[in-house]
Amino acid sequence: MIKKLEDLSVRYTVVSELIGDASLIKDQKKYKETMREHQQLTELMSLYDEYKRILKGIEDATVLITEEEDRDMKELAREELKELEEKKPKLEEEIKLKLIPPDPLDEKNIILEIRSAAGGDEASLFVRDLWEMYMHLAERKGWKTETMEAQETEVGGFNKIVTSIAGKFVYGTLRWESGVHRVQRVPATESQGRLQTSTVTVAVLPEAEETEIQIRPEDVRVDVMRAGGPGGQCVNTTDSAVRLTHIPTGIVVIQQDEKSQHKNKDKAFRVLRARLFDLEESKRQSERADARKNMVGSGARSEKIRTYNFPQDRVTDHRINLSLHNLPSFMMGNMDEMLDALNVYAKEEQLKDSSDLVN
């Protein structure tokens, strides 16, 4: 690990000189990549400096215990040695996690899709609750959100809602939210107070640039139609809604929230690119021998990942066996403890297959 850190220390010097070059900003892509690498190395070098301080402290305390004759000084050295030896393994684990190369997808913006699954009206209400939870989180983190599609129900929920979220480290924060979310509570629609279990599905799709996913015009059938509302009612008298069918994959995207056909078409293509990008990423992951070992769960849309139990004031993530209480606070977007635990667990799993970093 020390050899790896020393090599990165040399790289840090090189990158620090690079960002001082005024010509770097002319190439925006290279500039962003260099600034990102510099930030990551700065954090790592700060930890390395602390690690070297601990190693030197352990060495000095050991010498003092061996050679010092004053009892009080020996006792102080023993206390310091004990404290430093307790800090050392924790810091080593933190450094090892930082040594794992970041996934370039982590910096991407996302398309967040939430759909009702089992549970009828109650499931649609929970779709709204989850959507509001993520919107609260986005607001706290300063992310920008835009509703792409919203299929409202007559009881005030959503059968489906699609939102784009843009900002710093969005996909890296929310990537493990994909899957089936289960809610257990007495629905507002239940007159006899009976507990009901409902499910909704969440998909977190990294948003793709046009240069990353090129869609050939001949591969897409574009249909226009009139937009509809809850219960089948018509909400528009013009053909503003757009349906895209990607012929090679069979993926269908319908966009009708905007009054402008042009805006609906643009949004539909953004969603289609995200789905195609996600499809390509899934294929690449399945082709890698250890891909599934390095993921939290299988990543499948059908996997039940979390339960929100309102009577017990508990939210449980089944992949890492973590239960948190104060569910109302969690539903207000205070999810950091859960999200951080998922990301740490994923990195620790990755670390098991990265023996070159720890030797």
Side-chain angles (χ1 to χ4, degrees):
M1 187 175 79
I2 297 292
K3 174 66 168 61
K4 181 73 175 177
L5 288 167
E6 282 299 319
D7 290 344
L8 289 173
S9 181
V10 174
R11 175 63 184 167
Y12 178 60
T13 303
V14 172
V15 174
S16 296
E17 291 175 357
L18 273 176
I19 64 172
D21 186 347
S23 63
L24 180 65
I25 201 167
K26 294 177 182 178
D27 186 338
Q28 278 295 302
K29 183 179 179 183
K30 188 175 181 181
Y31 174 74
K32 289 179 181 178
E33 289 174 352
T34 305
M35 291 302 292
R36 188 181 303 126
E37 184 181 4
H38 184 261
Q39 182 182 348
Q40 291 159 355
L41 287 172
T42 299
E43 293 173 0
L44 190 55
M45 288 304 102
S46 177
L47 292 173
Y48 185 32
D49 287 342
E50 174 67 9
Y51 187 61
K52 286 188 288 187
R53 187 190 69 79
I54 287 177
L55 292 179
K56 183 67 167 61
I58 289 173
E59 182 183 346
D60 291 345
T62 302
V63 170
L64 201 59
I65 292 167
T66 305
E67 300 180 356
E68 180 60 53
E69 294 182 359
D70 187 283
R71 287 186 178 182
D72 291 338
M73 291 295 290
K74 277 181 178 282
E75 187 58 34
L76 284 173
R78 286 192 186 96
E79 288 178 7
E80 183 179 3
L81 181 62
K82 181 182 178 183
E83 183 181 335
L84 292 173
E85 286 182 335
E86 286 176 354
K87 287 182 179 179
K88 182 171 172 278
K90 295 176 184 177
L91 187 58
E92 284 175 340
E93 285 304 307
E94 193 174 351
I95 290 172
K96 288 171 186 176
L97 292 176
K98 283 284 185 183
L99 280 170
I100 296 172
D103 189 330
L105 293 182
D106 285 347
E107 293 292 338
K108 283 192 169 293
N109 300 327
I110 66 167
I111 301 289
L112 176 71
E113 296 185 352
I114 313 175
R115 302 168 183 255
S116 62
D121 287 342
E122 166 63 4
S124 79
L125 290 171
F126 193 59
V127 169
R128 176 180 284 277
D129 291 340
L130 279 189
W131 176 72
E132 289 177 348
M133 177 183 78
Y134 291 122
M135 294 306 101
H136 287 308
L137 176 71
E139 184 178 5
R140 280 202 305 106
K141 291 188 175 292
W143 295 339
K144 182 181 178 182
T145 62
E146 179 189 5
T147 300
M148 310 281 285
E149 180 185 355
Q151 297 178 7
E152 293 190 64
T153 63
E154 293 177 350
V155 296
F158 295 111
N159 278 327
K160 172 186 175 185
I161 186 163
V162 182
T163 306
S164 69
I165 305 179
K168 185 177 179 181
F169 207 67
V170 179
Y171 184 68
T173 303
L174 294 176
R175 65 185 303 165
W176 307 116
E177 291 299 289
S178 291
V180 175
H181 294 238
R182 181 175 69 171
V183 60
Q184 294 176 320
R185 65 182 177 186
V186 177
T189 54
E190 172 58 58
S191 59
Q192 297 182 29
R194 289 175 297 191
L195 187 70
Q196 181 175 326
T197 298
S198 304
T199 57
V200 307
T201 61
V202 173
V204 178
L205 310 175
E207 190 161 6
E209 303 292 336
E210 289 187 42
T211 53
E212 293 174 306
I213 292 290
Q214 295 182 350
I215 303 172
R216 299 188 306 171
E218 60 267 30
D219 286 343
V220 181
R221 187 173 70 245
V222 181
D223 298 309
V224 295
M225 65 202 83
R226 292 186 180 181
Q233 66 191 41
C234 184
V235 296
N236 203 334
T237 57
T238 60
D239 292 336
S240 61
V242 174
R243 179 175 62 211
L244 304 181
T245 304
H246 188 250
I247 297 167
T249 61
I251 294 174
V252 177
V253 178
I254 299 174
Q255 186 64 47
Q256 63 175 19
D257 277 43
E258 300 287 348
K259 293 181 180 179
S260 161
Q261 183 186 122
H262 178 72
K263 288 182 178 179
N264 279 329
K265 188 175 180 181
D266 283 348
K267 283 187 175 182
F269 268 101
R270 282 178 63 190
V271 174
L272 179 58
R273 273 195 298 273
R275 290 185 182 171
L276 289 172
F277 187 78
D278 183 60
L279 188 64
E280 287 300 313
E281 279 301 309
S282 297
K283 286 179 182 177
R284 280 193 282 268
Q285 287 173 354
S286 64
E287 287 168 1
R288 291 196 280 263
D290 294 327
R292 291 305 170 192
K293 292 180 185 177
N294 297 334
M295 296 183 69
V296 179
S298 70
R301 298 283 182 264
S302 59
E303 181 186 12
K304 183 185 73 177
I305 64 168
R306 192 175 298 152
T307 295
Y308 304 74
N309 188 305
F310 280 79
Q312 296 180 14
D313 187 29
R314 170 178 56 82
V315 54
T316 299
D317 196 286
H318 305 291
R319 298 162 295 180
I320 56 175
N321 295 318
L322 175 63
S323 290
L324 301 176
H325 294 274
N326 198 355
L327 189 48
S329 176
F330 192 89
M331 298 304 295
M332 288 298 293
N334 297 309
M335 309 165 60
D336 298 86
E337 185 177 352
M338 180 73 77
L339 297 174
D340 289 346
L342 284 163
N343 277 299
V344 168
Y345 180 82
K347 283 194 171 186
E348 287 174 344
E349 289 297 295
Q350 217 175 329
L351 193 60
K352 292 175 183 176
D353 296 325
S354 304
S355 57
D356 60 310
L357 297 181
V358 297
N359 295 327

